[in-house]
Amino acid sequence: MTGRILVVEDNVLNLKLVRDVLTAWGYDVVAALTGESGVALAPECAPDLVLMDIQLPGIDGYEALRRLRALPAARQVPIVAVTAFAMRDDRDRVSRAGFDGYLTKPLDIHDLRAQVERFLEEGSADGR
Ligand code: MN
């Protein structure tokens, strides 16, 4: 499967890991180090999927999600939250906020691949 994935991640080591893995799997990766730049890039790069870190400098992943959902180009794009908080409360909050999926750091590569493939195939639940 192919697709363009927008990765919003402020930690450059995590970003490199995700970018390298997704690129090796054949995906086209667009990277953003802040929520603001991810939102700004979305209309032009027209991603098929967004991986959104929650803890970011400036606006956080929740605010970036809200801003992306307000853009016609990103309204129906599946957005997966990525957070270091592997807490039950965070999973619930992420789900309530409208994220399509949830990944915890450190990333499990098999989980990453499963969610990427699933959401590229299915699209966003919000978009239907
Ligand atoms: Mn972060």
Side-chain angles (χ1 to χ4, degrees):
M1 187 178 293
T2 59
R4 177 171 294 166
I5 303 174
L6 172 60
V7 179
V8 184
E9 168 64 69
D10 64 304
N11 181 297
V12 291
L13 291 177
N14 287 339
L15 178 58
K16 179 176 175 7
L17 170 71
V18 172
R19 177 174 217 159
D20 288 352
V21 165
L22 293 175
T23 301
W25 291 341
Y27 298 109
D28 179 17
V29 176
V30 176
L33 288 165
T34 66
E36 288 91 337
S37 59
V39 172
L41 280 168
E44 193 179 341
C45 85
D48 301 300
L49 174 69
V50 179
L51 297 182
M52 178 68 70
D53 186 23
I54 292 296
Q55 289 186 290
L56 293 163
I59 64 169
D60 66 9
Y62 293 104
E63 178 60 22
L65 171 78
R66 282 189 287 274
R67 295 188 189 182
L68 283 172
R69 288 288 185 238
L71 298 173
R75 189 167 296 141
Q76 299 189 20
V77 176
I79 303 178
V80 173
V82 181
T83 174
F85 298 137
M87 308 279 288
R88 176 81 199 172
D89 284 354
D90 295 299
R91 186 178 288 268
D92 290 344
R93 187 181 172 200
V94 158
S95 178
R96 281 197 311 273
F99 284 99
D100 295 281
Y102 179 85
L103 290 166
T104 55
K105 290 193 272 191
L107 280 174
D108 178 301
I109 296 301
H110 299 289
D111 194 16
L112 173 65
R113 184 159 204 170
Q115 292 212 32
V116 165
E117 289 182 351
R118 176 181 154 208
F119 287 116
L120 283 175
E121 195 169 307
E122 291 181 2
S124 170
D126 272 8
R128 279 184 257 160

